Amino acid sequence: MTTVVSCINFIKSRGLNSRQFKELLNDLASEYGDLVYHCEVRWLSRGNMLMRFYELRDEVKQFMEMKGTPVRELSDSKWLCDLAFMVDITKYLSELNVKLQGPNQLLSSLLSNVKSFEAKLKLWKVQLERSNTVHFPTLQEQNPSTTDEYAGECAKLIEAFSERFKDVKSKQQELNIFATPFNVEPADVPDNLQHEIIQLQSDDELKARYNNLSLLEFYRRYVSADDFPILRRHALKYASVFGTTYCCEQFFSKLNLAKSRLRSRLTDANLENQLRVASSTVPPNITRLAKEKQFQPSH
């Protein structure tokens, strides 16, 4: 990453270098017109940046040599293999991160995505130990002599994921009761839920409804507080858990858009009202709001 970022900054942070590099790409009829900047804050840009740098590695090497600052790593086959592995693994991590974003995502579905990625990591580790790079197409292009080091990197990721999500995984049984109430064993659930789980699983009509509706819609319509009071409270608890910081980060972005230096008369009350409208999922009735205002004819 240090070498890649250094090369990109050398080219893109200087106006003359940037223009000359674009002209070089144009003369070589390159598929891409420029490199991609990387920002540490927005780390999802790392995957795109690495992929673009890898695709333009020969052009970057040629340009750096023209400028009298050759980069020896670009001629090192081992370093290129490391770069190729980074391209592939960051692409997978970025795809996972995108799956964990978005509104109205339940904790159970988020955890399923994480567990799926962990299973993939274990598969990749075993395959890389056998020099099988079928799931790493960029690395496969470089035809590495050994892939044991990359299997070790997958093992580190497995350990990191296990440590990061161990608190959530400790609630797996409770999440299963919420997400798949018809598949849990009544004897394995807490004592206060056993009777209600048996009652739920014995109702074939409810089972059919469960299979045809979204999870929240099923609980909202058919798991009433009268028939299943404890199960409903359990469902409300896990349906309201914030699985990611996506909503918070999105809210801060809206705050930055609303509170700019050009709006000197923005009071706290007005800002709160604007953010309430911006973050609400209820669509405004513009027609009704307009009718409540007095019409101002032109003079």
Side-chain angles (χ1 to χ4, degrees):
M1 281 297 297
T2 302
T3 302
V4 172
V5 172
S6 176
C7 290
I8 292 177
N9 288 342
F10 178 84
I11 295 173
K12 290 187 68 68
S13 63
R14 297 171 173 84
L16 177 61
N17 287 352
S18 181
R19 290 193 299 272
Q20 289 177 340
F21 184 70
K22 290 179 182 178
E23 291 174 1
L24 174 64
L25 295 179
N26 186 50
D27 293 341
L28 296 175
S30 175
E31 180 181 355
Y32 301 103
D34 201 1
L35 293 166
V36 177
Y37 256 133
H38 168 60
C39 175
E40 287 292 343
V41 176
R42 299 179 59 188
W43 71 268
L44 279 174
S45 64
R46 179 180 299 184
N48 294 331
M49 179 270 291
L50 285 171
M51 174 58 78
R52 182 68 61 85
F53 185 89
Y54 179 82
E55 296 290 345
L56 295 176
R57 62 191 183 282
D58 294 332
E59 290 84 347
V60 171
K61 177 184 177 183
Q62 181 178 341
F63 183 80
M64 298 298 283
E65 289 174 350
M66 288 169 50
K67 286 295 183 176
T69 55
V71 181
R72 61 179 180 80
E73 287 88 350
L74 292 173
S75 301
D76 185 347
S77 59
K78 174 62 172 64
W79 188 86
L80 290 174
C81 287
D82 293 346
L83 174 63
F85 175 76
M86 278 285 289
V87 169
D88 288 327
I89 201 66
T90 51
K91 175 177 175 290
Y92 286 129
L93 286 167
S94 296
E95 290 174 354
L96 172 64
N97 192 286
V98 171
K99 289 180 181 179
L100 299 181
Q101 295 183 16
N104 304 322
Q105 291 218 57
L106 298 175
L107 182 61
S108 54
S109 61
L110 295 175
L111 185 58
S112 296
N113 287 323
V114 171
K115 290 168 65 179
S116 172
F117 190 79
E118 287 183 304
K120 292 176 183 177
L121 282 171
K122 293 174 182 177
L123 172 67
W124 298 337
K125 175 180 175 293
V126 173
Q127 290 180 331
L128 288 171
E129 288 173 345
R130 300 171 182 171
S131 298
N132 183 351
T133 57
V134 64
H135 294 296
F136 293 84
T138 312
L139 179 61
Q140 200 170 41
E141 291 178 9
Q142 294 296 321
N143 193 23
S145 58
T146 177
T147 56
D148 290 341
E149 179 182 354
Y150 309 127
E153 293 301 322
C154 288
K156 292 178 184 177
L157 276 174
I158 293 171
E159 184 178 349
F161 269 73
S162 178
E163 177 65 24
R164 180 177 291 270
F165 295 102
K166 65 180 181 180
D167 293 339
V168 182
K169 290 177 181 177
S170 66
K171 303 291 184 180
Q172 184 66 66
Q173 180 62 29
E174 296 180 28
L175 281 171
N176 290 341
I177 297 171
F178 165 61
T180 57
F182 289 94
N183 296 335
V184 296
E185 285 293 332
D188 296 334
V189 304
D191 297 341
N192 61 339
L193 278 168
Q194 289 175 347
H195 286 178
E196 292 188 10
I197 288 292
I198 292 174
Q199 181 182 347
L200 184 76
Q201 293 179 352
S202 301
D203 193 323
D204 293 334
E205 184 179 350
L206 284 182
K207 186 177 295 185
R209 304 283 187 184
Y210 172 81
N211 293 328
N212 295 324
L213 291 173
S214 66
L215 187 60
L216 288 184
E217 192 66 19
F218 169 75
Y219 276 107
R220 186 181 296 114
R221 289 189 184 184
Y222 300 108
V223 182
S224 65
D226 295 331
D227 297 330
F228 305 97
I230 302 175
L231 181 60
R232 186 175 176 85
R233 285 199 301 272
H234 180 85
L236 286 171
K237 174 183 176 181
Y238 283 96
S240 61
V241 171
F242 284 96
T244 75
T245 59
Y246 171 82
C247 295
C248 297
E249 292 168 359
Q250 188 182 51
F251 187 81
F252 280 121
S253 297
K254 292 174 180 176
L255 175 64
N256 287 332
L257 288 174
K259 193 173 182 180
S260 67
R261 61 183 179 84
L262 300 177
R263 307 184 68 174
S264 58
R265 299 187 63 184
L266 185 63
T267 64
D268 291 341
N270 288 337
L271 178 61
E272 181 179 350
N273 292 334
Q274 286 195 27
L275 292 175
R276 188 181 298 277
V277 172
S279 58
S280 174
T281 57
V282 179
N285 190 337
I286 302 299
T287 303
R288 179 183 174 184
L289 291 172
K291 287 181 179 179
E292 295 175 355
K293 299 299 179 182
Q294 182 180 359
F295 177 67
Q296 297 291 336
S298 59
H299 296 288

